[in-house]
Amino acid sequence: MTLEQSARVAEIPPSGIRRFFEIAEERDDVISLGVGEPDFSTPWAARDAAIKSLELGKTSYTANRGMRELREAIAEYVTRFDLAYDPDGEIIVTTGASEAVDLAFRAFVDPGDTVAVVEPAYISYGPGVTFAGGEVLPVPTREEDEFRLTVDALERAGAADADALVYCYPNNPTGAVMSETDLEPVAAFAREHDLAVFADEIYAELTYEGEHASIAAFEGMRERTVVFNGFSKAHAMTGLRLGYALAPESAVDAMNRVHQYSMLSAPTTAQYAALEALASCEGEVESMVEQYDRRRRFVLSRFEELGMPCFEARGAFYVFPTVPDGFDCETFAEELLREKGVAVVPGNVFGAGGEGHLRVSYATGLDDLREALARIESFLTERDLL
Amino acid sequence: MSEREVLELLRENARYGTDDIARITGLDEDDVEATIAALEEAGVVRGYQAVVDWDELEDERVRAVVELNVTLDRETGYADIASRLARFPEVTALRLVSGDYDFDMEVEGDSIREVSRFVSEKVAPVPEITQTVTHYVMTAYKENGIEFGDGDEDDRLSYSP
Ligand SMILES: Cc1ncc(COP(=O)(O)O)c(C=O)c1O
């Protein structure tokens, strides 16, 4: 056998963002609003705890499911979203939420199963389903609905016949959130059509104006839902690679079966950092959330002034403005990058419903945001679009 | 509440325009202007200044933190001594503090000689002052909330999912 790609891998198209990287490399004054991770460093107390754990030689594997203390802290933490999970059987600590997502697909998707993917979406779900041998059914959401998932969208896409549903709210790339009222009919739909639900709630903490609601908290949903969360976003810990999944005991058992053979355990140093992050960094998280919220309001009002309509995103750290008439999103993103050195991600990268939009991240300081928006303004002015 | 938010933004960067502050807070620009005017009027906002890293400048600038101990009597309180000291242009900051000494005073000048002379000739002779301890600033790492390092490199990739 030679090293020829498996059919599953060959099926995955190369990333659409590659060539943008290369263009960005050519300039040294690029302001990037293309970033999907916090600009803040991990709160110092959490970094310090990681350093101390290294000094003490805490460098062995942990229990497959993660340190018991950390699972207890997670159980306590998620009560704020009205979620109750037993640290002993219903929580598994993973190498980033990314691993949790992958575990769920591998543990619950059989070849031929259909997974409805709510789009625009974080780019991992489709490939993850494919690697597990499942079929992807895109469920486009629409700007008129502020990119929320509706029963209408599910029905139109034919999701009633799917086996599972995966989504992320607060959403990457749109910044959309789902309130309790928005989730209710979706939960009813999942029960009625017997869908498993994979709810990526990694941006839960980054919800502005209002509270994050989890679908797993609805009657009859806990037994069919896996919740993903992690420390990358709210605790600014992307590089430490730590996330977790919450699910009923038998489901966590199944995911753990994959995890114990593929990963053994999540990084130990990161687990110490996470433990401290939950124990003492709430104030810092709040202050980061406050900073994001300021930037969000600033960016939204600038796009409105620039005549690039943008629904009021209330979560994560993204807004999703519409490109002006006569542009497709890729051309706009490319010309803006070449001419003005502002990097944004074309919306079509994120699947159905993303065409005609840009993902603009505000995980960047206000000074850079002001400058970036001024450059976008001059880009539009030069084209007589303002 | 909006007052507090406007104040925080001005403290973060006093050069944010009223238009930007309006965008960030969601207030009308007129309201922002009125809020700032009211803060100035009430003496909450006392001024706007640049934060300078003198180490980056060719010209020398000498700064010292001076601890002052004082004795009070029936006629003279802390405020009397303070108002006398604060009038000197060399004094850039003056605070009454708790602990081993009474006043914490910051002084600036063009040379060590100038600052020393100021302390020994103008401050020490004040009758209520019983002791002065002068600490020259050698390097500033952070002033007014602004770090003076080269800044944390943003080493994030310019695109990430
Ligand atoms: C929606 C969503 N889920 C999961 C992840 C991956 O997170 P982690 O760093 O925990 O693997 C990201 C990262 O961008 C994301 O945006």
PDB file of all heavy atoms in Angstrom, chain A residues 112-140:
ATOM      1  N   GLY A 112     -23.443   6.427   6.570  1.00  0.00           N
ATOM      2  CA  GLY A 112     -24.778   6.563   6.006  1.00  0.00           C
ATOM      3  C   GLY A 112     -25.713   7.422   6.844  1.00  0.00           C
ATOM      4  O   GLY A 112     -26.742   7.874   6.355  1.00  0.00           O
ATOM      5  N   ASP A 113     -25.371   7.666   8.089  1.00  0.00           N
ATOM      6  CA  ASP A 113     -26.218   8.552   8.904  1.00  0.00           C
ATOM      7  C   ASP A 113     -26.131   9.984   8.357  1.00  0.00           C
ATOM      8  O   ASP A 113     -25.097  10.392   7.831  1.00  0.00           O
ATOM      9  CB  ASP A 113     -25.727   8.596  10.358  1.00  0.00           C
ATOM     10  CG  ASP A 113     -26.186   7.376  11.149  1.00  0.00           C
ATOM     11  OD1 ASP A 113     -26.948   6.564  10.584  1.00  0.00           O
ATOM     12  OD2 ASP A 113     -25.757   7.242  12.312  1.00  0.00           O
ATOM     13  N   THR A 114     -27.218  10.696   8.527  1.00  0.00           N
ATOM     14  CA  THR A 114     -27.230  12.082   8.062  1.00  0.00           C
ATOM     15  C   THR A 114     -27.154  13.041   9.243  1.00  0.00           C
ATOM     16  O   THR A 114     -27.927  12.914  10.192  1.00  0.00           O
ATOM     17  CB  THR A 114     -28.524  12.364   7.276  1.00  0.00           C
ATOM     18  OG1 THR A 114     -28.553  11.483   6.166  1.00  0.00           O
ATOM     19  CG2 THR A 114     -28.556  13.800   6.779  1.00  0.00           C
ATOM     20  N   VAL A 115     -26.223  13.972   9.150  1.00  0.00           N
ATOM     21  CA  VAL A 115     -26.097  14.979  10.195  1.00  0.00           C
ATOM     22  C   VAL A 115     -26.436  16.343   9.600  1.00  0.00           C
ATOM     23  O   VAL A 115     -25.801  16.794   8.643  1.00  0.00           O
ATOM     24  CB  VAL A 115     -24.670  14.995  10.790  1.00  0.00           C
ATOM     25  CG1 VAL A 115     -24.561  16.061  11.872  1.00  0.00           C
ATOM     26  CG2 VAL A 115     -24.298  13.625  11.344  1.00  0.00           C
ATOM     27  N   ALA A 116     -27.456  16.962  10.149  1.00  0.00           N
ATOM     28  CA  ALA A 116     -27.846  18.292   9.687  1.00  0.00           C
ATOM     29  C   ALA A 116     -26.921  19.315  10.316  1.00  0.00           C
ATOM     30  O   ALA A 116     -26.783  19.368  11.536  1.00  0.00           O
ATOM     31  CB  ALA A 116     -29.295  18.577  10.083  1.00  0.00           C
ATOM     32  N   VAL A 117     -26.257  20.113   9.461  1.00  0.00           N
ATOM     33  CA  VAL A 117     -25.292  21.105   9.945  1.00  0.00           C
ATOM     34  C   VAL A 117     -25.864  22.498   9.709  1.00  0.00           C
ATOM     35  O   VAL A 117     -26.117  22.891   8.568  1.00  0.00           O
ATOM     36  CB  VAL A 117     -23.943  20.961   9.204  1.00  0.00           C
ATOM     37  CG1 VAL A 117     -22.955  22.018   9.697  1.00  0.00           C
ATOM     38  CG2 VAL A 117     -23.365  19.560   9.386  1.00  0.00           C
ATOM     39  N   VAL A 118     -26.087  23.221  10.787  1.00  0.00           N
ATOM     40  CA  VAL A 118     -26.672  24.550  10.679  1.00  0.00           C
ATOM     41  C   VAL A 118     -25.594  25.516  10.186  1.00  0.00           C
ATOM     42  O   VAL A 118     -24.541  25.662  10.805  1.00  0.00           O
ATOM     43  CB  VAL A 118     -27.231  25.012  12.039  1.00  0.00           C
ATOM     44  CG1 VAL A 118     -27.821  26.412  11.921  1.00  0.00           C
ATOM     45  CG2 VAL A 118     -28.282  24.023  12.530  1.00  0.00           C
ATOM     46  N   GLU A 119     -25.872  26.152   9.050  1.00  0.00           N
ATOM     47  CA  GLU A 119     -24.874  27.019   8.422  1.00  0.00           C
ATOM     48  C   GLU A 119     -25.400  28.450   8.294  1.00  0.00           C
ATOM     49  O   GLU A 119     -26.611  28.640   8.292  1.00  0.00           O
ATOM     50  CB  GLU A 119     -24.516  26.452   7.038  1.00  0.00           C
ATOM     51  CG  GLU A 119     -23.815  25.107   7.166  1.00  0.00           C
ATOM     52  CD  GLU A 119     -23.311  24.536   5.813  1.00  0.00           C
ATOM     53  OE1 GLU A 119     -23.728  25.033   4.749  1.00  0.00           O
ATOM     54  OE2 GLU A 119     -22.522  23.595   5.877  1.00  0.00           O
ATOM     55  N   PRO A 120     -24.546  29.456   8.171  1.00  0.00           N
ATOM     56  CA  PRO A 120     -23.084  29.407   8.201  1.00  0.00           C
ATOM     57  C   PRO A 120     -22.586  28.819   9.519  1.00  0.00           C
ATOM     58  O   PRO A 120     -23.173  29.080  10.559  1.00  0.00           O
ATOM     59  CB  PRO A 120     -22.664  30.873   8.092  1.00  0.00           C
ATOM     60  CG  PRO A 120     -23.858  31.601   7.566  1.00  0.00           C
ATOM     61  CD  PRO A 120     -25.044  30.844   8.008  1.00  0.00           C
ATOM     62  N   ALA A 121     -21.494  28.061   9.432  1.00  0.00           N
ATOM     63  CA  ALA A 121     -21.005  27.360  10.607  1.00  0.00           C
ATOM     64  C   ALA A 121     -19.492  27.320  10.664  1.00  0.00           C
ATOM     65  O   ALA A 121     -18.810  27.388   9.644  1.00  0.00           O
ATOM     66  CB  ALA A 121     -21.534  25.928  10.610  1.00  0.00           C
ATOM     67  N   TYR A 122     -19.034  27.168  11.873  1.00  0.00           N
ATOM     68  CA  TYR A 122     -17.634  26.865  12.137  1.00  0.00           C
ATOM     69  C   TYR A 122     -17.235  25.718  11.208  1.00  0.00           C
ATOM     70  O   TYR A 122     -17.996  24.771  11.026  1.00  0.00           O
ATOM     71  CB  TYR A 122     -17.507  26.477  13.608  1.00  0.00           C
ATOM     72  CG  TYR A 122     -16.141  26.027  14.018  1.00  0.00           C
ATOM     73  CD1 TYR A 122     -15.039  26.849  13.818  1.00  0.00           C
ATOM     74  CD2 TYR A 122     -15.945  24.791  14.617  1.00  0.00           C
ATOM     75  CE1 TYR A 122     -13.777  26.436  14.209  1.00  0.00           C
ATOM     76  CE2 TYR A 122     -14.689  24.375  15.015  1.00  0.00           C
ATOM     77  CZ  TYR A 122     -13.609  25.206  14.802  1.00  0.00           C
ATOM     78  OH  TYR A 122     -12.368  24.800  15.182  1.00  0.00           O
ATOM     79  N   ILE A 123     -16.034  25.818  10.631  1.00  0.00           N
ATOM     80  CA  ILE A 123     -15.709  24.972   9.484  1.00  0.00           C
ATOM     81  C   ILE A 123     -15.425  23.498   9.782  1.00  0.00           C
ATOM     82  O   ILE A 123     -15.272  22.710   8.862  1.00  0.00           O
ATOM     83  CB  ILE A 123     -14.485  25.540   8.726  1.00  0.00           C
ATOM     84  CG1 ILE A 123     -13.309  25.657   9.683  1.00  0.00           C
ATOM     85  CG2 ILE A 123     -14.819  26.884   8.097  1.00  0.00           C
ATOM     86  CD1 ILE A 123     -12.028  26.086   8.980  1.00  0.00           C
ATOM     87  N   SER A 124     -15.391  23.103  11.038  1.00  0.00           N
ATOM     88  CA  SER A 124     -14.999  21.720  11.346  1.00  0.00           C
ATOM     89  C   SER A 124     -16.112  20.687  11.247  1.00  0.00           C
ATOM     90  O   SER A 124     -15.829  19.497  11.150  1.00  0.00           O
ATOM     91  CB  SER A 124     -14.431  21.630  12.769  1.00  0.00           C
ATOM     92  OG  SER A 124     -13.196  22.272  12.819  1.00  0.00           O
ATOM     93  N   TYR A 125     -17.360  21.137  11.351  1.00  0.00           N
ATOM     94  CA  TYR A 125     -18.425  20.134  11.478  1.00  0.00           C
ATOM     95  C   TYR A 125     -18.550  19.259  10.235  1.00  0.00           C
ATOM     96  O   TYR A 125     -18.652  18.038  10.339  1.00  0.00           O
ATOM     97  CB  TYR A 125     -19.779  20.784  11.779  1.00  0.00           C
ATOM     98  CG  TYR A 125     -19.754  21.759  12.935  1.00  0.00           C
ATOM     99  CD1 TYR A 125     -20.369  23.003  12.837  1.00  0.00           C
ATOM    100  CD2 TYR A 125     -19.107  21.441  14.131  1.00  0.00           C
ATOM    101  CE1 TYR A 125     -20.351  23.900  13.886  1.00  0.00           C
ATOM    102  CE2 TYR A 125     -19.082  22.343  15.191  1.00  0.00           C
ATOM    103  CZ  TYR A 125     -19.704  23.573  15.061  1.00  0.00           C
ATOM    104  OH  TYR A 125     -19.679  24.462  16.090  1.00  0.00           O
ATOM    105  N   GLY A 126     -18.590  19.893   9.061  1.00  0.00           N
ATOM    106  CA  GLY A 126     -18.755  19.126   7.822  1.00  0.00           C
ATOM    107  C   GLY A 126     -17.674  18.062   7.681  1.00  0.00           C
ATOM    108  O   GLY A 126     -17.982  16.858   7.584  1.00  0.00           O
ATOM    109  N   PRO A 127     -16.392  18.468   7.687  1.00  0.00           N
ATOM    110  CA  PRO A 127     -15.324  17.475   7.588  1.00  0.00           C
ATOM    111  C   PRO A 127     -15.399  16.421   8.698  1.00  0.00           C
ATOM    112  O   PRO A 127     -15.167  15.239   8.440  1.00  0.00           O
ATOM    113  CB  PRO A 127     -14.050  18.318   7.708  1.00  0.00           C
ATOM    114  CG  PRO A 127     -14.444  19.661   7.183  1.00  0.00           C
ATOM    115  CD  PRO A 127     -15.872  19.847   7.600  1.00  0.00           C
ATOM    116  N   GLY A 128     -15.741  16.832   9.901  1.00  0.00           N
ATOM    117  CA  GLY A 128     -15.837  15.873  11.017  1.00  0.00           C
ATOM    118  C   GLY A 128     -16.856  14.788  10.732  1.00  0.00           C
ATOM    119  O   GLY A 128     -16.619  13.607  10.995  1.00  0.00           O
ATOM    120  N   VAL A 129     -17.997  15.205  10.206  1.00  0.00           N
ATOM    121  CA  VAL A 129     -19.049  14.236   9.863  1.00  0.00           C
ATOM    122  C   VAL A 129     -18.548  13.310   8.754  1.00  0.00           C
ATOM    123  O   VAL A 129     -18.731  12.085   8.804  1.00  0.00           O
ATOM    124  CB  VAL A 129     -20.339  14.978   9.420  1.00  0.00           C
ATOM    125  CG1 VAL A 129     -21.347  14.008   8.808  1.00  0.00           C
ATOM    126  CG2 VAL A 129     -20.950  15.738  10.591  1.00  0.00           C
ATOM    127  N   THR A 130     -17.884  13.906   7.764  1.00  0.00           N
ATOM    128  CA  THR A 130     -17.370  13.105   6.651  1.00  0.00           C
ATOM    129  C   THR A 130     -16.349  12.071   7.132  1.00  0.00           C
ATOM    130  O   THR A 130     -16.399  10.909   6.738  1.00  0.00           O
ATOM    131  CB  THR A 130     -16.719  14.028   5.590  1.00  0.00           C
ATOM    132  OG1 THR A 130     -17.687  14.992   5.191  1.00  0.00           O
ATOM    133  CG2 THR A 130     -16.240  13.243   4.384  1.00  0.00           C
ATOM    134  N   PHE A 131     -15.419  12.497   7.984  1.00  0.00           N
ATOM    135  CA  PHE A 131     -14.416  11.555   8.506  1.00  0.00           C
ATOM    136  C   PHE A 131     -15.082  10.390   9.232  1.00  0.00           C
ATOM    137  O   PHE A 131     -14.577   9.272   9.231  1.00  0.00           O
ATOM    138  CB  PHE A 131     -13.438  12.252   9.461  1.00  0.00           C
ATOM    139  CG  PHE A 131     -12.540  13.252   8.788  1.00  0.00           C
ATOM    140  CD1 PHE A 131     -12.227  14.457   9.417  1.00  0.00           C
ATOM    141  CD2 PHE A 131     -11.993  13.006   7.531  1.00  0.00           C
ATOM    142  CE1 PHE A 131     -11.400  15.393   8.803  1.00  0.00           C
ATOM    143  CE2 PHE A 131     -11.163  13.939   6.909  1.00  0.00           C
ATOM    144  CZ  PHE A 131     -10.870  15.133   7.543  1.00  0.00           C
ATOM    145  N   ALA A 132     -16.214  10.676   9.874  1.00  0.00           N
ATOM    146  CA  ALA A 132     -16.914   9.619  10.599  1.00  0.00           C
ATOM    147  C   ALA A 132     -17.762   8.757   9.658  1.00  0.00           C
ATOM    148  O   ALA A 132     -18.392   7.797  10.088  1.00  0.00           O
ATOM    149  CB  ALA A 132     -17.796  10.233  11.688  1.00  0.00           C
ATOM    150  N   GLY A 133     -17.789   9.108   8.377  1.00  0.00           N
ATOM    151  CA  GLY A 133     -18.544   8.319   7.408  1.00  0.00           C
ATOM    152  C   GLY A 133     -19.980   8.775   7.231  1.00  0.00           C
ATOM    153  O   GLY A 133     -20.753   8.146   6.501  1.00  0.00           O
ATOM    154  N   GLY A 134     -20.350   9.866   7.879  1.00  0.00           N
ATOM    155  CA  GLY A 134     -21.728  10.348   7.772  1.00  0.00           C
ATOM    156  C   GLY A 134     -21.933  11.258   6.573  1.00  0.00           C
ATOM    157  O   GLY A 134     -20.986  11.630   5.882  1.00  0.00           O
ATOM    158  N   GLU A 135     -23.198  11.571   6.329  1.00  0.00           N
ATOM    159  CA  GLU A 135     -23.555  12.492   5.243  1.00  0.00           C
ATOM    160  C   GLU A 135     -23.917  13.842   5.862  1.00  0.00           C
ATOM    161  O   GLU A 135     -24.630  13.900   6.860  1.00  0.00           O
ATOM    162  CB  GLU A 135     -24.795  11.987   4.495  1.00  0.00           C
ATOM    163  CG  GLU A 135     -24.674  10.583   3.921  1.00  0.00           C
ATOM    164  CD  GLU A 135     -23.721  10.516   2.736  1.00  0.00           C
ATOM    165  OE1 GLU A 135     -23.571  11.560   2.061  1.00  0.00           O
ATOM    166  OE2 GLU A 135     -23.117   9.447   2.523  1.00  0.00           O
ATOM    167  N   VAL A 136     -23.452  14.909   5.206  1.00  0.00           N
ATOM    168  CA  VAL A 136     -23.747  16.247   5.702  1.00  0.00           C
ATOM    169  C   VAL A 136     -24.997  16.793   5.032  1.00  0.00           C
ATOM    170  O   VAL A 136     -25.120  16.742   3.801  1.00  0.00           O
ATOM    171  CB  VAL A 136     -22.571  17.208   5.407  1.00  0.00           C
ATOM    172  CG1 VAL A 136     -22.926  18.644   5.763  1.00  0.00           C
ATOM    173  CG2 VAL A 136     -21.331  16.752   6.168  1.00  0.00           C
ATOM    174  N   LEU A 137     -25.918  17.290   5.820  1.00  0.00           N
ATOM    175  CA  LEU A 137     -27.086  17.980   5.269  1.00  0.00           C
ATOM    176  C   LEU A 137     -27.043  19.438   5.725  1.00  0.00           C
ATOM    177  O   LEU A 137     -27.300  19.724   6.893  1.00  0.00           O
ATOM    178  CB  LEU A 137     -28.375  17.322   5.784  1.00  0.00           C
ATOM    179  CG  LEU A 137     -29.660  18.018   5.327  1.00  0.00           C
ATOM    180  CD1 LEU A 137     -29.955  17.724   3.860  1.00  0.00           C
ATOM    181  CD2 LEU A 137     -30.838  17.596   6.210  1.00  0.00           C
ATOM    182  N   PRO A 138     -26.675  20.344   4.795  1.00  0.00           N
ATOM    183  CA  PRO A 138     -26.596  21.752   5.230  1.00  0.00           C
ATOM    184  C   PRO A 138     -27.983  22.307   5.537  1.00  0.00           C
ATOM    185  O   PRO A 138     -28.930  22.055   4.784  1.00  0.00           O
ATOM    186  CB  PRO A 138     -25.996  22.474   4.018  1.00  0.00           C
ATOM    187  CG  PRO A 138     -25.479  21.404   3.118  1.00  0.00           C
ATOM    188  CD  PRO A 138     -26.311  20.178   3.387  1.00  0.00           C
ATOM    189  N   VAL A 139     -28.090  23.045   6.630  1.00  0.00           N
ATOM    190  CA  VAL A 139     -29.335  23.740   6.966  1.00  0.00           C
ATOM    191  C   VAL A 139     -29.023  25.232   6.979  1.00  0.00           C
ATOM    192  O   VAL A 139     -28.487  25.750   7.951  1.00  0.00           O
ATOM    193  CB  VAL A 139     -29.861  23.313   8.357  1.00  0.00           C
ATOM    194  CG1 VAL A 139     -31.133  24.085   8.707  1.00  0.00           C
ATOM    195  CG2 VAL A 139     -30.091  21.818   8.420  1.00  0.00           C
ATOM    196  N   PRO A 140     -29.320  25.912   5.855  1.00  0.00           N
ATOM    197  CA  PRO A 140     -28.960  27.337   5.808  1.00  0.00           C
ATOM    198  C   PRO A 140     -29.865  28.167   6.710  1.00  0.00           C
ATOM    199  O   PRO A 140     -31.073  27.929   6.767  1.00  0.00           O
ATOM    200  CB  PRO A 140     -29.210  27.726   4.340  1.00  0.00           C
ATOM    201  CG  PRO A 140     -29.548  26.462   3.618  1.00  0.00           C
ATOM    202  CD  PRO A 140     -29.970  25.443   4.627  1.00  0.00           C
TER     203      PRO A 140
END
